[in-house]
Amino acid sequence: MAKISYYTEEGLNRLKAELVELKTKGRAAIARQIAEARDKGDLSENAEYDAAKDAQGLHELKISKLEEVLSNARVLDESTIDASQVSVLSKVKIKNKKSGAEMLYILVSEEEADLKTGRISVGSPIGKGLLGKRVGDTAEIKVPAGVLEFEVMEIAR
């Protein structure tokens, strides 16, 4: 049974664009590689041809996996999400109680997570620990380095 994944509108559009790119430019590039290798002569001893055919197989596998992900993708409707507690698509400002450092994160699906842009997965230890918390709540989160305590300072959409 396929796993349903939830995405923002932007994340889903990015996946669709990647699929179009793989199907058009990606397939054309692989076909070009195969044609070039085929032109070099005997296919039975042509390592370049074998490598191009292997690359084609991996490319088609990537396309089929992406198509499967898209067939099970759902767009999150932000208007139906409770803004009083931390949930998917929440912008959460948290404060590390030990160090006093404040951080702002947006909780997103695992596929859209990108720590550099402040987007953390709801499946990550911090994401799991923050889910369901309200402003003023303290979250004790077990991470590989030990247990961290965060206070939820602000929740926004």
Side-chain angles (χ1 to χ4, degrees), residues 5 10-11 24 30 32 40-41 49 67 69 74 76 133:
S5 299
E10 170 192 334
T24 56
I30 299 245
R32 228 179 354 268
K40 293 185 178 173
Y49 179 77
E67 284 175 335
V69 166
R74 304 290 182 270
L76 284 168
K133 300 290 188 235

Side-chain angles (χ1 to χ4, degrees), residues 78-93:
E78 292 185 52
S79 64
T80 63
I81 298 173
D82 180 9
S84 67
Q85 63 183 13
V86 178
S87 61
V88 179
L89 296 185
S90 293
K91 285 183 185 173
V92 185
K93 185 176 185 180

